[in-house]
Amino acid sequence: MKNKKWLVGGVVAGAFASVAAMYKATSEFAKDMLYRNEIDRTDLDVLDEEEMQLKNEEGMVLYGYLIKHNHADRTLIMLHEIKENASSLIECAQHFEKMLPETNIVLLDSESHGMSDGYLRSFGEKDAKNLILWNRFLLKKLGSQQHFILYGKNLGANAILRASATHELQNVSAIVSDGACDNVSHYLTDLLFKKYKINSKFAAPILRRVIKQESGLDIKRLDAVEDVKNNTIPTIFIHSKNEKNVNFKRVFDLYNNNASDASLFPIKENHFYEMNQDESYSNLLKDFLAKHI
């Protein structure tokens, strides 16, 4: 009998230890995603760019980088994924330069990324508000007749879709959403499962609670499916079947709920700019932009 009690007690103690370990891993993961602990300096030496600064409503100094073409009447604004900076967009920007000649290109360092101020990442919430400020800033700098194309990678795309839902963006002709997620909770739980194999039902409430306690941000509200229901800007949803951060299945709810003219562009390559440009399918993005800009 004593041996049986010891066995049961050992199983219970082991279960508690396992739950405690999962809770600790989930909490530490949430804080790692939330906090910036060092400055990752943006290196754009391969591009001929002009550095710009913008101070937002909270007094944070944000950095952007302009590749300017004389007499250009359209500008592509690019937002990187979380825990990266504008330099992660170099290859993509170079591809767009070939696709869209005589187009200005602006690469942004999101708040708490790259050279921009801040230490708390916002998973697209503040980035959406800052994008609206950049939109106004660039209209003043480049002229009120300037038209914009917006490109975002992963949560950079989510920030664009969130900004679009406010209807405060001006002169935006098209959105290129590359690897967006349906909501931030799914984004984080998917990453956590890949790293630690922790079930999403266990992890989701912990992630939400830790991030809200640390920053005041409720990630449950960061739902891109709800945002696209109010999106009136033509949007193309690119998603790689090999996307490392966002499960391929996440794109379908975005596309199916989007209120504006939209195209779905699933690809097998890691990045759309790695596609064989001789194949007609690779022209889907180019044709979409030609239709709307």
Side-chain angles (χ1 to χ4, degrees), residues 37-226:
N37 297 313
E38 59 184 19
I39 303 295
D40 49 332
R41 298 194 177 277
T42 304
D43 183 3
L44 298 173
D45 287 347
V46 298
L47 303 177
D48 182 15
E49 43 77 27
E50 170 194 342
E51 183 180 286
M52 303 178 294
Q53 294 181 18
L54 168 69
K55 185 176 287 189
N56 70 11
E57 295 166 350
E58 297 179 348
M60 299 286 187
V61 177
L62 309 175
Y63 280 74
Y65 310 90
L66 170 64
I67 305 168
K68 196 171 189 306
H69 291 269
N70 291 331
H71 311 300
D73 61 0
R74 63 191 183 193
T75 296
L76 170 68
I77 303 177
M78 304 182 71
L79 278 71
H80 57 78
E81 59 188 295
I82 193 170
K83 299 185 77 172
E84 293 286 352
N85 61 43
S87 58
S88 67
L89 298 168
I90 288 175
E91 278 190 84
C92 189
Q94 290 172 328
H95 182 81
F96 273 120
E97 276 194 294
K98 296 175 184 176
M99 182 187 294
L100 301 171
E102 300 305 313
T103 301
N104 300 320
I105 297 179
V106 172
L107 297 87
L108 299 179
D109 275 340
S110 296
E111 185 174 328
S112 303
H113 294 78
M115 299 299 294
S116 292
D117 286 351
Y119 68 94
L120 282 172
R121 303 184 182 107
S122 70
F123 307 100
E125 170 75 359
K126 290 183 180 179
D127 304 318
K129 296 174 182 177
N130 290 333
L131 176 61
I132 294 168
L133 296 179
W134 276 113
N135 176 230
R136 295 170 184 169
F137 173 90
L138 289 166
L139 280 169
K140 290 180 180 179
K141 181 178 178 65
L142 301 174
S144 61
Q145 301 306 309
Q146 195 74 195
H147 284 263
F148 298 94
I149 308 153
L150 305 179
Y151 168 88
K153 179 66 176 175
N154 291 161
L155 291 189
N158 283 58
I160 291 170
L161 297 172
R162 191 163 187 81
S164 177
T166 69
H167 304 297
E168 293 184 48
L169 293 168
Q170 299 177 49
N171 293 17
V172 177
S173 302
I175 293 171
V176 181
S177 167
D178 188 355
C181 191
D182 54 352
N183 64 63
V184 170
S185 183
H186 283 161
Y187 177 83
L188 293 175
T189 53
D190 285 353
L191 287 181
L192 183 65
F193 184 80
K194 281 185 180 181
K195 190 171 184 178
Y196 296 117
K197 304 303 179 189
I198 297 175
N199 183 274
S200 62
K201 290 183 179 179
F202 174 87
I206 298 170
L207 290 167
R208 183 186 181 194
R209 182 166 60 252
V210 171
I211 291 171
K212 192 168 185 178
Q213 286 174 344
E214 296 289 324
S215 69
L217 179 66
D218 186 357
I219 60 172
K220 190 175 182 180
R221 295 190 303 104
L222 302 182
D223 189 332
V225 174
E226 292 302 311

Side-chain angles (χ1 to χ4, degrees), residues 12-22:
V12 172
F16 274 116
S18 177
V19 169
M22 288 192 296

